């Protein structure tokens, strides 16, 4: 990609990291954790998925080890987030879900692209995109002693799957990486936002006696 485009995606990635970290701060606050607990939940939410991805695909370095800016973003978000979450005048309810959907879309495509760059198949790359997007939140929920949201009826991981398929599929058709990235992100974002707007969910599996 062009240097300007690379810079936009890098700063967008940092923004997504902050958004995911803030969601960890909110969970920690709801559970009345101390400052260290806040930082831990913020960190695992923001970089847990990417860490697992890099370990699986055998990346030379885990991304936040190679670039510690991610850690500074998480630490700053964890510290400021404790103050912002207490403000009586808050942003409209839909701002954080939309920002989260954007971060989810970006993380999914980044994970899928990185897996392909390390020689995985398209199917494995899609799985790595899903892991990048949702694994951090799953770890957060497990630490919070909750059933992870992605294992319930919420359309979250499904949006990642769609985005990964769109990204790998459009690349296979010969489009440019930039257009494939936009297609993957738009697919993930649109499905996630539609699920929030119209309360869409997957059918539940239930065993009755």
């Amino acid at each position: 990609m062009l240097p300007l485009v690379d810079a936009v995606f890098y700063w967008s990635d940092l923004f997504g990291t902050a958004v995911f970290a803030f969601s960890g701060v909110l969970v920690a606050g709801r559970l009345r954790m101390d400052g260290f607990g806040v930082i831990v939940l913020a960190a695992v939410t923001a970089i847990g998925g990417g860490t697992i991805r890099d370990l699986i695909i055998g990346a030379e370095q885990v991304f936040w080890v190679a670039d510690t800016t991610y850690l500074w973003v998480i630490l700053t978000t964890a510290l400021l987030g404790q103050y912002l979450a207490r403000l009586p005048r808050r942003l409209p309810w839909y701002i954080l879900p939309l920002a989260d959907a954007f971060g989810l879309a970006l993380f999914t495509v980044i994970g899928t692209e990185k897996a392909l760059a390390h020689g995985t198949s398209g199917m494995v790359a899609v799985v790595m995109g899903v892991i990048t997007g949702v694994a951090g939140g799953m770890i957060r929920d497990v630490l919070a002693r909750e059933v992870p949201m992605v294992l319930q009826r919420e359309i979250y991981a499904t949006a990642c799957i769609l985005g990964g398929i769109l990204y790998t599929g459009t690349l296979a058709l010969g489009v440019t990486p930039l257009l494939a990235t936009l297609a993957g992100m738009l697919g993930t974002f649109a499905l996630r936002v539609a699920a929030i707007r119209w309360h869409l969910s997957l059918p539940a599996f239930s065993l009755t006696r």
Side-chain angles (χ1 to χ4, degrees):
M1 295 185 187
L2 298 174
L4 177 60
V5 176
D6 287 338
V8 170
F9 274 94
Y10 177 71
W11 286 103
S12 297
D13 191 20
L14 294 178
F15 171 75
T17 299
V19 170
F20 274 39
F22 187 65
S23 73
V25 171
L26 295 179
V27 173
R30 179 163 51 81
L31 296 176
R32 302 177 64 85
M33 291 186 175
D34 62 15
F36 180 72
V38 172
I39 294 173
V40 169
L41 284 198
V44 298
T45 308
I47 61 177
T51 301
I52 295 173
R53 174 205 64 217
D54 286 355
L55 293 175
I56 292 176
I57 65 177
E60 185 176 346
Q61 276 189 315
V62 176
F63 71 100
W64 53 266
V65 175
D67 184 358
T68 56
T69 304
Y70 291 93
L71 299 181
W72 286 110
V73 168
I74 292 167
L75 182 60
T76 302
T77 303
L79 296 177
L80 291 180
Q82 295 177 67
Y83 167 74
L84 295 174
R86 292 191 180 99
L87 292 178
R89 187 175 181 179
R90 300 180 180 178
L91 294 173
W93 69 268
Y94 53 83
I95 296 297
L96 187 57
L98 287 178
D100 182 82
F102 173 80
L104 182 70
L106 184 63
F107 283 11
T108 297
V109 171
I110 288 175
T112 306
E113 186 277 331
K114 191 167 185 178
L116 288 175
H118 280 75
T120 70
S121 66
M123 179 178 291
V124 172
V126 171
V127 173
M128 291 301 105
V130 174
I131 288 175
T132 306
V134 309
M138 293 179 68
I139 298 171
R140 175 202 64 210
D141 292 345
V142 169
L143 292 176
R145 293 178 294 180
E146 298 176 348
V147 177
M149 179 181 66
V150 299
L151 300 182
Q152 302 182 60
R153 300 173 61 190
E154 195 78 28
I155 294 181
Y156 201 81
T158 308
C160 297
I161 294 172
L162 174 63
I165 291 174
L166 286 174
Y167 178 79
T168 56
T170 50
L171 275 183
L173 292 176
V175 304
T176 64
L178 178 58
L179 289 178
T181 297
L182 294 176
M185 287 187 62
L186 181 60
T188 304
F189 182 80
L191 181 55
R192 179 59 188 151
V193 170
I196 296 171
R197 173 63 179 83
W198 289 290
H199 306 288
L200 305 178
S201 61
L202 297 173
F205 172 67
S206 176
L207 293 175
T208 57
R209 294 182 181 275

